[in-house]
Amino acid sequence: LKAKDAVTGKPITEFSRLGQVWVEGEPLVRHYATIESALADAGRLEKSGKKLRVVYAHDRNTGLKLLASDAWFVKTKSEVASFLLKADAEAYARKNAGTVLDYAGARAG
């Protein structure tokens, strides 16, 4: 993947924390260097009246592309990580002093 961050315009070089937002009416998804940035921009886009088709996150362990609404998230002091399985999120949270969140919690945080 060769992509630029939708907020900063900088090339994305690390893809393990990639987030994506697909806005209704746009032919391509928007890419973000981090899931935090994607979730924050998703909120801004909705507040501006845009409708989102989907938000994607990537599993921290496997890199699998996930529908963010079905993912689990761990918020640590320094980042937000996404996971397909709740058990994986819980294990990561224990190891990294984090908090497990569902999609709504990650969007709110």
XYZ file of all heavy atoms in Angstrom:
834
model
N 0.845 -1.183 0.000
C 0.000 0.000 0.000
C 0.882 1.235 0.000
O 1.792 1.348 0.820
C -0.916 0.002 1.227
C -1.787 1.233 1.436
C -2.844 1.358 0.352
C -2.443 1.175 2.795
N 0.626 2.120 -0.930
C 1.260 3.430 -0.927
C 0.147 4.427 -0.703
O -0.756 4.560 -1.532
C 1.965 3.700 -2.248
C 3.203 2.876 -2.442
C 3.947 3.302 -3.678
C 5.213 2.473 -3.801
N 6.041 2.916 -4.912
N 0.212 5.088 0.448
C -0.871 6.000 0.797
C -0.333 7.135 1.640
O 0.687 7.007 2.303
C -1.956 5.248 1.555
N -1.079 8.226 1.611
C -0.775 9.376 2.460
C -1.863 9.502 3.508
O -3.032 9.218 3.246
C -0.702 10.650 1.619
C 0.478 10.669 0.680
C 0.561 11.969 -0.070
C 1.766 11.947 -0.997
N 1.908 13.193 -1.736
N -1.469 9.949 4.679
C -2.412 10.160 5.763
C -3.402 11.251 5.355
O -3.002 12.319 4.879
C -1.659 10.573 7.027
C -2.577 10.661 8.221
O -3.238 11.703 8.382
O -2.630 9.691 8.983
N -4.684 10.970 5.519
C -5.746 11.896 5.097
C -5.731 13.200 5.881
O -6.230 14.216 5.393
C -7.113 11.223 5.228
N -5.172 13.215 7.072
C -5.137 14.427 7.887
C -3.854 15.211 7.663
O -3.880 16.413 7.412
C -5.300 14.096 9.391
C -5.122 15.330 10.246
C -6.670 13.471 9.652
N -2.716 14.521 7.726
C -1.429 15.221 7.652
C -0.872 15.326 6.238
O -0.025 16.175 5.972
C -0.366 14.506 8.510
O -0.095 13.210 7.936
C -0.828 14.366 9.948
N -1.294 14.423 5.354
C -0.752 14.401 4.000
C 0.601 13.719 3.900
O 1.169 13.586 2.821
N 1.126 13.249 5.024
C 2.426 12.585 5.028
C 2.282 11.140 4.573
O 1.265 10.493 4.841
C 3.033 12.616 6.428
C 3.374 14.002 6.916
C 3.941 13.945 8.319
C 4.259 15.352 8.809
N 4.763 15.346 10.193
N 3.309 10.608 3.894
C 3.260 9.197 3.486
C 3.157 8.286 4.713
O 3.790 8.528 5.738
C 4.594 8.975 2.772
C 5.067 10.334 2.388
C 4.526 11.275 3.430
N 2.362 7.244 4.578
C 2.235 6.247 5.639
C 3.303 5.196 5.383
O 3.348 4.603 4.298
C 0.827 5.620 5.658
C -0.212 6.702 5.954
C 0.756 4.494 6.684
C -1.645 6.238 5.808
N 4.163 4.988 6.356
C 5.256 4.037 6.194
C 5.129 2.825 7.105
O 5.739 1.800 6.863
C 6.617 4.723 6.475
O 6.592 5.269 7.789
C 6.881 5.833 5.466
N 4.349 2.938 8.166
C 4.121 1.837 9.109
C 2.639 1.488 9.059
O 1.795 2.340 9.321
C 4.530 2.263 10.520
C 4.169 1.280 11.602
C 4.772 -0.091 11.361
O 5.967 -0.187 11.042
O 4.018 -1.076 11.485
N 2.331 0.247 8.729
C 0.941 -0.122 8.487
C 0.300 -0.950 9.595
O -0.858 -1.316 9.501
C 0.833 -0.855 7.144
C 1.275 0.002 6.005
C 2.548 -0.117 5.479
C 0.438 0.966 5.486
C 2.968 0.699 4.442
C 0.846 1.788 4.450
C 2.118 1.651 3.927
N 1.026 -1.218 10.666
C 0.472 -2.057 11.729
C -0.638 -1.357 12.502
O -1.438 -2.004 13.160
C 1.571 -2.494 12.698
O 2.092 -1.379 13.396
N -0.713 -0.032 12.426
C -1.735 0.708 13.174
C -2.690 1.449 12.250
O -3.436 2.317 12.669
C -1.046 1.678 14.133
C -0.131 0.926 15.113
C 0.433 1.785 16.203
N -0.648 2.347 16.986
C -0.832 3.657 17.160
N -0.007 4.532 16.660
N -1.830 4.093 17.881
N -2.665 1.109 10.981
C -3.455 1.780 9.955
C -4.949 1.781 10.269
O -5.488 0.801 10.767
C -3.229 1.066 8.616
C -3.904 1.643 7.393
C -3.192 2.925 6.972
C -3.862 0.640 6.254
N -5.593 2.889 9.988
C -7.043 3.003 10.053
C -7.540 3.550 8.730
O -6.786 4.226 8.010
N -8.764 3.249 8.395
C -9.335 3.727 7.132
C -10.790 4.131 7.355
O -11.493 3.514 8.153
C -9.253 2.643 6.060
C -7.831 2.258 5.715
C -7.780 1.025 4.840
O -8.286 -0.032 5.217
N -7.173 1.155 3.674
N -11.211 5.145 6.619
C -12.593 5.608 6.665
C -13.087 5.715 5.231
O -12.426 6.322 4.374
C -12.702 6.986 7.369
C -14.127 7.507 7.312
C -12.216 6.892 8.812
N -14.256 5.142 4.980
C -14.872 5.252 3.664
C -16.109 6.121 3.816
O -17.064 5.758 4.499
C -15.231 3.882 3.142
C -15.618 3.846 1.699
C -15.592 4.870 0.782
C -16.086 2.712 0.984
N -16.009 4.442 -0.435
C -16.323 3.110 -0.349
C -16.335 1.400 1.341
C -16.795 2.235 -1.325
C -16.807 0.533 0.368
C -17.035 0.948 -0.944
N -16.071 7.274 3.189
C -17.154 8.242 3.269
C -18.127 7.986 2.124
O -17.706 7.773 0.976
C -16.603 9.690 3.187
C -17.728 10.708 3.233
C -15.615 9.937 4.332
N -19.409 8.001 2.424
C -20.422 7.800 1.396
C -20.239 8.845 0.293
O -20.033 10.026 0.561
C -21.818 7.924 2.007
C -22.929 7.561 1.025
C -24.275 7.556 1.699
O -24.570 6.564 2.402
O -25.018 8.543 1.530
N -20.299 8.386 -0.958
C -20.159 9.275 -2.101
C -18.731 9.443 -2.583
O -18.497 10.036 -3.634
N -17.767 8.934 -1.824
C -16.371 8.996 -2.237
C -15.965 7.638 -2.803
O -16.295 6.595 -2.236
C -15.464 9.368 -1.059
C -15.702 10.783 -0.577
C -14.752 11.206 0.532
O -13.842 10.428 0.913
O -14.921 12.337 1.029
N -15.248 7.619 -3.923
C -14.914 6.344 -4.568
C -13.829 5.540 -3.851
O -13.728 4.333 -4.046
C -14.437 6.761 -5.955
C -13.926 8.152 -5.774
C -14.794 8.762 -4.705
N -13.013 6.182 -3.011
C -11.908 5.505 -2.345
C -11.947 5.752 -0.842
O -12.480 6.761 -0.389
C -10.568 6.017 -2.891
C -10.342 5.852 -4.394
C -9.067 6.570 -4.815
C -10.283 4.377 -4.774
N -11.340 4.836 -0.105
C -11.236 5.027 1.335
C -10.153 6.053 1.645
O -9.231 6.250 0.861
C -10.931 3.708 2.088
C -12.034 2.694 1.899
C -9.592 3.144 1.694
N -10.296 6.695 2.794
C -9.269 7.599 3.302
C -8.379 6.787 4.234
O -8.868 6.007 5.044
C -9.904 8.750 4.081
C -10.798 9.627 3.231
C -11.423 10.708 4.073
N -12.364 11.512 3.306
C -12.704 12.754 3.620
N -12.192 13.330 4.698
N -13.556 13.414 2.869
N -7.082 6.992 4.142
C -6.111 6.250 4.949
C -5.575 7.136 6.074
O -5.396 8.339 5.878
C -4.940 5.788 4.080
C -5.354 4.977 2.909
N -5.752 3.672 3.009
C -5.459 5.289 1.593
C -6.069 3.205 1.818
N -5.902 4.172 0.938
N -5.280 6.504 7.201
C -4.755 7.206 8.372
C -3.626 6.376 8.968
O -3.736 5.155 9.051
C -5.849 7.409 9.421
C -7.027 8.179 8.888
C -8.047 7.541 8.197
C -7.100 9.559 9.047
C -9.122 8.255 7.680
C -8.172 10.276 8.533
C -9.169 9.622 7.851
O -10.231 10.323 7.334
N -2.593 7.037 9.428
C -1.439 6.335 9.989
C -1.781 5.592 11.275
O -1.132 4.605 11.610
C -0.292 7.312 10.236
N -2.805 6.048 11.989
C -3.202 5.389 13.235
C -4.722 5.266 13.306
O -5.457 6.062 12.716
C -2.740 6.169 14.484
O -3.426 7.421 14.533
C -1.231 6.388 14.479
N -5.174 4.289 14.064
C -6.607 4.126 14.261
C -7.165 5.294 15.064
O -8.303 5.724 14.833
C -6.956 2.759 14.899
C -8.467 2.515 14.877
C -6.407 2.643 16.295
C -9.088 2.455 13.513
N -6.355 5.881 15.955
C -6.820 7.044 16.712
C -7.179 8.186 15.777
O -8.211 8.838 15.928
C -5.757 7.542 17.694
C -5.297 6.543 18.703
C -3.984 5.890 18.299
O -3.997 5.071 17.351
O -2.966 6.173 18.936
N -6.324 8.411 14.809
C -6.551 9.488 13.842
C -7.785 9.197 12.998
O -8.590 10.091 12.723
C -5.314 9.651 12.961
O -5.480 10.694 12.044
N -7.943 7.940 12.595
C -9.112 7.562 11.790
C -10.408 7.760 12.574
O -11.386 8.305 12.048
C -8.990 6.107 11.337
N -10.425 7.333 13.831
C -11.628 7.480 14.656
C -11.948 8.953 14.912
O -13.112 9.362 14.862
C -11.467 6.724 15.972
C -11.389 5.204 15.862
C -11.035 4.590 17.214
C -12.664 4.616 15.306
N -10.922 9.743 15.174
C -11.139 11.173 15.411
C -11.670 11.855 14.161
O -12.610 12.653 14.225
C -9.844 11.833 15.871
N -11.094 11.525 13.006
C -11.550 12.154 11.768
C -12.949 11.673 11.403
O -13.750 12.440 10.874
C -10.572 11.895 10.625
C -10.677 12.945 9.534
O -10.898 14.143 9.863
O -10.541 12.589 8.343
N -13.265 10.419 11.704
C -14.616 9.914 11.460
C -15.630 10.760 12.223
O -16.680 11.135 11.680
C -14.717 8.449 11.865
N -15.317 11.084 13.462
C -16.201 11.940 14.256
C -16.346 13.324 13.655
O -17.444 13.867 13.572
N -15.232 13.905 13.223
C -15.277 15.233 12.596
C -16.083 15.211 11.300
O -16.865 16.130 11.033
C -13.859 15.740 12.320
C -13.122 16.204 13.558
C -11.819 16.913 13.220
N -10.815 16.035 12.626
C -9.929 15.315 13.298
N -9.925 15.358 14.628
N -9.049 14.564 12.672
N -15.897 14.166 10.521
C -16.628 14.051 9.254
C -18.133 13.969 9.498
O -18.917 14.629 8.817
C -16.147 12.829 8.470
C -14.752 12.939 7.864
C -14.230 11.565 7.462
C -14.766 13.875 6.665
N -18.523 13.155 10.471
C -19.951 13.035 10.779
C -20.516 14.355 11.295
O -21.621 14.733 10.914
C -20.182 11.914 11.794
C -20.026 10.545 11.182
C -20.245 9.432 12.175
O -19.812 9.555 13.342
O -20.864 8.433 11.774
N -19.770 15.052 12.137
C -20.241 16.346 12.647
C -20.397 17.372 11.530
O -21.221 18.275 11.636
C -19.295 16.873 13.721
C -19.443 16.147 15.030
C -18.486 16.672 16.081
C -18.624 15.836 17.349
N -17.622 16.159 18.341
N -19.616 17.209 10.467
C -19.716 18.140 9.338
C -20.849 17.761 8.387
O -21.068 18.430 7.384
C -18.395 18.212 8.574
O -18.209 17.046 7.789
N -21.561 16.672 8.706
C -22.709 16.274 7.895
C -22.437 15.144 6.921
O -23.342 14.706 6.213
N -21.223 14.649 6.870
C -20.914 13.541 5.966
C -21.384 12.236 6.593
O -21.387 12.072 7.808
C -19.419 13.473 5.700
C -18.875 14.737 5.063
C -17.934 14.407 3.972
C -17.341 15.699 3.428
N -17.686 15.920 2.080
N -21.764 11.302 5.735
C -22.191 9.991 6.193
C -21.078 8.988 5.903
O -20.509 8.976 4.813
C -23.476 9.563 5.484
C -24.025 8.266 5.992
C -25.368 7.945 5.405
C -25.832 6.617 5.980
N -27.072 6.174 5.392
N -20.768 8.174 6.899
C -19.718 7.179 6.741
C -20.308 5.870 6.253
O -21.350 5.429 6.741
C -18.998 6.944 8.064
C -18.416 8.172 8.753
C -17.700 7.758 10.027
C -17.484 8.936 7.837
N -19.619 5.267 5.300
C -20.019 3.925 4.879
C -19.461 2.898 5.859
O -20.170 2.002 6.293
C -19.518 3.639 3.471
C -20.195 4.522 2.426
C -19.788 4.136 1.066
N -20.408 2.830 0.784
C -20.457 2.287 -0.407
N -19.940 2.896 -1.428
N -21.018 1.118 -0.577
N -18.159 3.047 6.179
C -17.522 2.097 7.088
C -16.195 2.674 7.587
O -15.588 3.502 6.918
C -17.299 0.724 6.387
C -16.269 0.814 5.298
C -16.963 -0.371 7.372
N -15.810 2.220 8.758
C -14.487 2.517 9.317
C -13.778 1.174 9.450
O -14.361 0.207 9.944
C -14.587 3.221 10.691
C -13.204 3.432 11.284
C -15.337 4.534 10.569
N -12.525 1.135 8.992
C -11.726 -0.083 9.080
C -10.607 0.095 10.094
O -10.042 1.176 10.227
C -11.070 -0.416 7.732
C -12.035 -0.745 6.628
C -12.253 0.154 5.587
C -12.713 -1.963 6.598
C -13.113 -0.150 4.550
C -13.587 -2.266 5.566
C -13.783 -1.359 4.542
O -14.642 -1.659 3.523
N -10.289 -0.985 10.779
C -9.144 -1.053 11.680
C -8.356 -2.296 11.274
O -8.849 -3.129 10.515
C -9.608 -1.160 13.123
N -7.161 -2.428 11.780
C -6.337 -3.600 11.474
C -5.911 -4.271 12.767
O -5.454 -3.609 13.698
C -5.120 -3.187 10.635
C -5.516 -2.750 9.268
N -5.446 -3.564 8.172
C -6.048 -1.585 8.825
C -5.900 -2.920 7.104
N -6.267 -1.713 7.484
N -6.078 -5.590 12.795
C -5.735 -6.365 13.978
C -4.254 -6.187 14.303
O -3.392 -6.367 13.435
C -6.045 -7.842 13.743
C -5.795 -8.674 14.972
O -4.639 -9.090 15.201
O -6.759 -8.905 15.719
N -3.966 -5.820 15.536
C -2.598 -5.549 15.986
C -1.701 -6.782 15.841
O -0.535 -6.668 15.508
C -2.636 -5.089 17.448
C -1.313 -4.848 18.077
C -0.697 -3.596 17.517
N 0.541 -3.293 18.201
C 0.950 -2.085 18.446
N 0.242 -1.050 18.058
N 2.082 -1.885 19.054
N -2.262 -7.966 16.054
C -1.461 -9.192 16.019
C -1.279 -9.760 14.621
O -0.205 -10.248 14.289
C -2.087 -10.266 16.909
C -2.042 -9.904 18.366
O -1.208 -9.118 18.799
N -2.944 -10.470 19.138
N -2.328 -9.714 13.812
C -2.287 -10.400 12.511
C -2.250 -9.463 11.311
O -1.918 -9.895 10.215
C -3.528 -11.294 12.336
O -4.693 -10.457 12.277
C -3.655 -12.304 13.458
N -2.636 -8.203 11.492
C -2.704 -7.271 10.375
C -3.982 -7.391 9.558
O -4.163 -6.658 8.593
N -4.873 -8.296 9.938
C -6.125 -8.468 9.197
C -6.949 -7.186 9.231
O -7.057 -6.527 10.260
C -6.962 -9.598 9.796
C -6.447 -11.009 9.586
C -7.287 -11.994 10.387
C -6.453 -11.370 8.115
N -7.553 -6.868 8.098
C -8.431 -5.701 7.993
C -9.773 -6.060 8.620
O -10.374 -7.080 8.283
C -8.602 -5.308 6.528
C -9.327 -4.025 6.311
C -9.277 -3.686 4.822
C -9.807 -2.323 4.530
N -9.634 -1.982 3.114
N -10.236 -5.209 9.534
C -11.466 -5.464 10.279
C -12.465 -4.339 10.093
O -12.075 -3.182 9.923
C -11.151 -5.541 11.784
C -10.007 -6.416 12.244
C -9.726 -6.155 13.715
C -10.341 -7.869 11.995
N -13.729 -4.666 10.175
C -14.741 -3.629 10.325
C -14.585 -3.118 11.751
O -14.687 -3.891 12.713
C -16.140 -4.190 10.115
C -16.441 -4.734 8.725
C -17.800 -5.429 8.725
C -16.399 -3.625 7.700
N -14.296 -1.859 11.899
C -14.027 -1.318 13.237
C -15.204 -1.530 14.179
O -15.013 -1.731 15.376
C -13.660 0.158 13.142
N -16.405 -1.517 13.642
C -17.586 -1.699 14.488
C -17.643 -3.094 15.112
O -18.348 -3.304 16.093
C -18.854 -1.435 13.686
O -18.929 -2.312 12.572
N -16.880 -4.049 14.563
C -16.842 -5.410 15.099
C -15.557 -5.699 15.864
O -15.372 -6.807 16.349
C -16.982 -6.427 13.967
C -18.348 -6.382 13.311
O -19.324 -5.973 13.971
O -18.444 -6.752 12.124
N -14.668 -4.729 15.943
C -13.363 -4.931 16.568
C -13.394 -4.582 18.055
O -14.329 -3.952 18.544
C -12.317 -4.067 15.860
N -12.336 -4.988 18.740
C -12.087 -4.617 20.131
C -10.862 -3.728 20.142
O -9.951 -3.910 19.335
C -11.846 -5.860 20.990
C -13.074 -6.690 21.087
C -13.420 -7.768 20.323
C -14.171 -6.462 21.969
N -14.658 -8.226 20.689
C -15.128 -7.442 21.696
C -14.424 -5.525 22.961
C -16.338 -7.520 22.382
C -15.623 -5.599 23.649
C -16.568 -6.588 23.363
N -10.824 -2.779 21.035
C -9.747 -1.803 21.084
C -9.145 -1.783 22.480
O -9.831 -2.026 23.467
C -10.279 -0.409 20.730
C -10.863 -0.362 19.351
C -12.188 -0.681 19.132
C -10.071 -0.027 18.271
C -12.737 -0.659 17.863
C -10.604 -0.004 16.993
C -11.937 -0.319 16.783
N -7.866 -1.469 22.529
C -7.181 -1.290 23.803
C -6.554 0.091 23.794
O -5.762 0.416 22.912
C -6.096 -2.358 24.040
C -5.334 -2.064 25.328
C -6.715 -3.743 24.089
N -6.941 0.884 24.784
C -6.362 2.210 24.938
C -5.307 2.130 26.022
O -5.588 1.756 27.155
C -7.430 3.229 25.309
C -6.889 4.632 25.418
C -7.976 5.635 25.691
C -7.366 7.026 25.728
N -8.374 8.047 25.924
N -4.076 2.474 25.644
C -2.983 2.549 26.600
C -2.605 4.015 26.775
O -3.217 4.888 26.149
C -1.750 1.747 26.133
O -1.182 2.388 24.994
C -2.104 0.299 25.816
N -1.604 4.253 27.545
C -1.149 5.624 27.770
C -0.673 6.283 26.469
O -0.796 7.486 26.295
C -0.025 5.615 28.795
C 0.314 6.930 29.366
C 1.309 6.773 30.494
C 1.462 8.086 31.225
N 2.310 7.964 32.402
N -0.153 5.474 25.543
C 0.466 6.041 24.343
C -0.240 5.750 23.024
O 0.115 6.332 22.004
C 1.910 5.549 24.241
O 1.934 4.131 24.127
N -1.231 4.840 23.009
C -1.837 4.479 21.728
C -3.167 3.760 21.908
O -3.558 3.412 23.015
C -0.902 3.574 20.933
C -0.746 2.199 21.553
C 0.108 1.251 20.732
O 0.773 1.694 19.780
O 0.092 0.059 21.037
N -3.804 3.535 20.768
C -4.976 2.671 20.701
C -4.627 1.549 19.728
O -4.120 1.805 18.638
C -6.231 3.432 20.215
C -7.387 2.475 20.000
C -6.613 4.515 21.208
N -4.873 0.314 20.141
C -4.619 -0.854 19.306
C -5.944 -1.568 19.066
O -6.832 -1.548 19.920
C -3.629 -1.785 19.986
N -6.085 -2.187 17.903
C -7.332 -2.881 17.572
C -7.087 -4.380 17.421
O -6.010 -4.807 17.022
C -7.953 -2.295 16.307
O -6.998 -2.164 15.286
N -8.156 -5.147 17.725
C -8.065 -6.600 17.722
C -9.374 -7.205 17.235
O -10.451 -6.677 17.512
C -7.792 -7.123 19.136
C -6.492 -6.645 19.702
C -6.433 -5.448 20.406
C -5.337 -7.365 19.510
C -5.244 -4.977 20.911
C -4.133 -6.905 20.015
C -4.075 -5.702 20.717
N -9.269 -8.330 16.565
C -10.450 -9.082 16.157
C -11.089 -9.768 17.373
O -12.296 -9.725 17.550
C -10.076 -10.129 15.107
C -11.161 -11.125 14.720
C -12.349 -10.415 14.085
C -10.607 -12.180 13.778
N -10.265 -10.368 18.199
C -10.765 -11.157 19.323
C -10.671 -10.398 20.645
O -9.641 -9.788 20.941
C -9.973 -12.458 19.443
C -9.992 -13.362 18.209
C -9.074 -14.552 18.416
C -11.404 -13.803 17.891
N -11.729 -10.486 21.418
C -11.733 -9.829 22.719
C -10.645 -10.405 23.620
O -9.996 -9.667 24.371
C -13.100 -9.960 23.380
C -13.213 -9.170 24.668
C -14.603 -9.223 25.255
C -14.712 -8.308 26.474
N -16.052 -8.399 27.076
N -10.412 -11.708 23.547
C -9.376 -12.337 24.374
C -8.000 -11.753 24.049
O -7.183 -11.545 24.954
C -9.374 -13.852 24.170
N -7.729 -11.485 22.788
C -6.451 -10.878 22.401
C -6.350 -9.452 22.942
O -5.296 -9.015 23.403
C -6.283 -10.862 20.882
C -6.057 -12.248 20.307
O -5.756 -13.198 21.072
O -6.181 -12.380 19.070
N -7.457 -8.730 22.885
C -7.477 -7.364 23.418
C -7.237 -7.386 24.925
O -6.466 -6.575 25.454
C -8.807 -6.686 23.092
N -7.868 -8.309 25.612
C -7.698 -8.405 27.065
C -6.256 -8.749 27.434
O -5.690 -8.176 28.369
C -8.667 -9.434 27.637
C -10.108 -8.976 27.564
C -11.116 -10.061 27.887
O -10.798 -11.268 27.756
O -12.243 -9.700 28.262
N -5.644 -9.660 26.686
C -4.255 -10.037 26.953
C -3.324 -8.843 26.709
O -2.411 -8.585 27.506
C -3.842 -11.216 26.077
N -3.558 -8.109 25.646
C -2.741 -6.929 25.336
C -2.932 -5.855 26.410
O -1.975 -5.205 26.823
C -3.120 -6.396 23.959
C -2.219 -5.305 23.445
C -1.042 -5.599 22.771
C -2.536 -3.963 23.629
C -0.207 -4.602 22.300
C -1.712 -2.954 23.154
C -0.545 -3.283 22.488
O 0.266 -2.280 22.031
N -4.161 -5.693 26.849
C -4.447 -4.696 27.888
C -3.726 -5.039 29.186
O -3.155 -4.160 29.835
C -5.951 -4.598 28.130
N -3.740 -6.309 29.578
C -3.032 -6.727 30.799
C -1.535 -6.471 30.672
O -0.896 -5.966 31.590
C -3.265 -8.211 31.082
C -4.598 -8.514 31.723
C -4.684 -9.949 32.215
N -4.460 -10.944 31.174
C -5.396 -11.406 30.351
N -6.636 -10.950 30.430
N -5.111 -12.320 29.453
N -0.976 -6.796 29.539
C 0.469 -6.670 29.315
C 0.917 -5.209 29.219
O 2.047 -4.881 29.558
C 0.840 -7.408 28.027
C 2.305 -7.508 27.760
C 2.553 -8.343 26.521
C 4.042 -8.460 26.244
N 4.311 -9.249 25.054
N 0.018 -4.316 28.771
C 0.394 -2.934 28.498
C -0.358 -1.905 29.341
O -0.412 -0.731 28.973
C 0.189 -2.634 27.015
C 1.117 -3.453 26.152
O 2.284 -3.130 26.026
N 0.611 -4.540 25.574
N -0.949 -2.347 30.439
C -1.694 -1.461 31.340
C -2.726 -0.635 30.580
O -2.807 0.578 30.715
C -0.743 -0.546 32.103
N -3.526 -1.350 29.772
C -4.530 -0.673 28.962
C -5.944 -0.997 29.378
O -6.178 -1.812 30.273
N -6.871 -0.363 28.697
C -8.294 -0.559 28.930
C -8.936 -1.092 27.660
O -8.726 -0.528 26.576
C -8.961 0.773 29.310
O -8.301 1.310 30.450
C -10.440 0.589 29.600
N -9.721 -2.162 27.772
C -10.416 -2.736 26.628
C -11.685 -1.935 26.370
O -12.459 -1.659 27.292
C -10.756 -4.214 26.862
C -11.569 -4.782 25.698
C -9.491 -5.034 27.094
N -11.880 -1.588 25.100
C -13.060 -0.815 24.687
C -13.725 -1.476 23.483
O -13.045 -2.086 22.649
C -12.639 0.604 24.281
C -11.875 1.442 25.282
C -11.296 2.669 24.617
C -12.797 1.830 26.424
N -15.030 -1.314 23.385
C -15.705 -1.698 22.152
C -15.620 -0.500 21.201
O -15.000 0.532 21.508
C -17.144 -2.130 22.420
C -18.015 -1.046 23.031
O -17.585 0.133 23.129
O -19.152 -1.360 23.426
N -16.247 -0.603 20.042
C -16.171 0.445 19.039
C -16.716 1.785 19.565
O -16.083 2.826 19.406
C -16.941 0.007 17.792
C -16.947 1.002 16.665
C -15.774 1.402 16.047
C -18.155 1.539 16.212
C -15.787 2.315 14.996
C -18.178 2.451 15.166
C -16.994 2.821 14.551
O -17.014 3.718 13.513
N -17.851 1.734 20.218
C -18.435 2.973 20.750
C -17.494 3.624 21.761
O -17.319 4.847 21.765
C -19.808 2.698 21.382
N -16.904 2.822 22.616
C -15.971 3.352 23.596
C -14.721 3.943 22.956
O -14.227 4.984 23.380
N -14.221 3.292 21.909
C -13.057 3.806 21.193
C -13.388 5.104 20.487
O -12.585 6.049 20.479
C -12.556 2.772 20.197
N -14.566 5.192 19.917
C -14.995 6.447 19.248
C -15.150 7.562 20.254
O -14.820 8.720 19.966
C -16.324 6.244 18.514
C -16.300 5.325 17.325
C -16.063 5.927 15.986
N -16.593 7.204 15.668
C -17.559 7.457 14.798
N -18.162 6.464 14.183
N -17.916 8.685 14.532
N -15.647 7.254 21.427
C -15.883 8.284 22.449
C -14.574 8.758 23.076
O -14.479 9.895 23.521
C -16.814 7.751 23.530
N -13.583 7.866 23.107
C -12.338 8.173 23.792
C -11.383 8.945 22.966
O -10.444 9.541 23.370
